[in-house]
Amino acid sequence: MSHVPFPLADDPDAPFPPAALALREPDGLLAVGGDLSPRRLLNAYRGGIFPWYSDGQPILWWSPDPRLVFRTDAVRLSSRFRRSLRRCDWQVRADTDFAAVIGACADSPRPGQSGTWITASMRAAYLRLHQLGHAHSIEVWDRQGRLAGGLYGVAVGRMFFGESMFSAYSGGSKVALAALALRLHAWGWPLLDAQVENPHLLALGGERWPRARFLDAVAGLVDEEDRPRNWTARFGQLPAAELARAADR
């Protein structure tokens, strides 16, 4: 059956169409329009859907198949990288500078891309989600107080939906991802969504899951109680060197 992107109603509580109706080409395009209000965004994530569009386009909503997923106990760091981490003095924290992290993600060049999909409207929407305790930044800081790397995403229930990451210095995004996975696993959060595959994420242990399997898993996690809050105290400060020790265990 042919399908065109489903037009969303103005009501931010209006339901999304079933993700199974997403297009095969372009892979995962499901709906168009609506807004980036907190209610709309949270409803999207609960259904395994996320926004992704460029300036000059309407808001586009996606649920690709397959989906790239990390099990939080299965992020892989190479033995060479672990050796470098043992001498690393970086520290990882959460939610101390969300605006800087999303700004760095927006400004980082991407192979094959000109411009950014993290538009001014997207930045404002996710900053609002952060202020409400739903969106979080994982920050890798060097000894001079500079961001070496980081990532941000959205937490719903016991599910974390990664949005974007960056490295200011080599390995910065790897450290952010591994640190997040280590904390999530300790909290009993089994999965971390990475949306769309690329060779870098696959090398770090990302797995291609059929969309149906992913949606089944998400449905069982997003409704579990975990109140929205700032993560600075909960996450604590994690030395990057600890990631090497954790990977060796």
Side-chain angles (χ1 to χ4, degrees):
M1 182 176 68
S2 63
H3 170 62
V4 295
F6 185 90
L8 293 179
D10 292 337
D11 179 2
D13 290 319
F16 283 85
L21 295 179
L23 294 175
R24 290 188 178 274
E25 184 60 42
D27 177 36
L29 180 58
L30 176 66
V32 61
D35 57 33
L36 297 174
S37 65
R39 286 188 295 172
R40 178 100 64 181
L41 284 169
L42 293 173
N43 285 339
Y45 285 107
R46 289 187 185 101
I49 300 162
F50 59 88
W52 184 28
Y53 67 102
S54 300
D55 270 327
Q57 292 181 320
I59 301 172
L60 303 175
W61 302 88
W62 304 77
S63 185
D65 186 12
R67 189 76 162 229
L68 195 73
V69 181
F70 285 92
R71 289 179 287 116
T72 57
D73 62 348
V75 172
R76 292 196 301 261
L77 299 177
S78 70
S79 57
R80 180 180 180 183
F81 188 65
R82 294 200 304 272
R83 286 196 298 272
S84 72
L85 284 180
R86 294 186 188 103
R87 304 184 300 274
C88 183
D89 61 3
W90 292 347
Q91 301 286 330
V92 188
R93 300 193 290 270
D95 286 350
T96 66
D97 200 340
F98 184 91
V101 170
I102 194 171
C105 288
D107 294 340
S108 292
R110 311 286 177 183
Q113 284 185 216
S114 59
T116 179
W117 59 269
I118 307 175
T119 64
S121 296
M122 289 278 271
R123 289 199 207 193
Y126 284 86
L127 183 58
R128 179 60 179 150
L129 274 187
H130 170 66
Q131 292 165 345
L132 294 171
H134 299 289
H136 304 282
S137 58
I138 308 302
E139 308 136 10
V140 183
W141 298 94
D142 71 8
R143 181 175 290 181
Q144 287 72 42
R146 298 172 300 201
L147 273 173
L151 62 82
Y152 75 96
V154 176
V156 184
R158 284 198 303 125
M159 183 71 202
F160 190 89
F161 300 89
E163 274 295 318
S164 186
M165 60 185 187
F166 80 98
S167 292
Y169 306 110
S170 178
S173 63
K174 290 183 190 178
V175 169
L177 177 67
L180 173 60
L182 185 67
R183 286 294 193 250
L184 292 178
H185 182 63
W187 298 344
W189 297 38
L191 300 177
L192 193 170
D193 173 38
Q195 297 182 347
V196 179
E197 69 180 75
N198 63 46
H200 176 64
L201 295 176
L202 290 169
L204 290 170
E207 302 175 2
R208 300 180 186 94
W209 282 24
R211 181 170 53 218
R213 178 186 177 190
F214 173 75
L215 294 177
D216 283 346
V218 166
L221 292 169
V222 295
D223 288 335
E224 296 192 25
E225 184 174 355
D226 195 276
R227 66 180 176 82
R229 56 181 139 169
N230 182 283
W231 276 6
T232 301
R234 184 184 194 186
F235 192 95
Q237 183 160 287
L238 178 63
E242 175 62 26
L243 299 173
R245 292 189 286 271
D248 289 338
R249 289 198 285 267

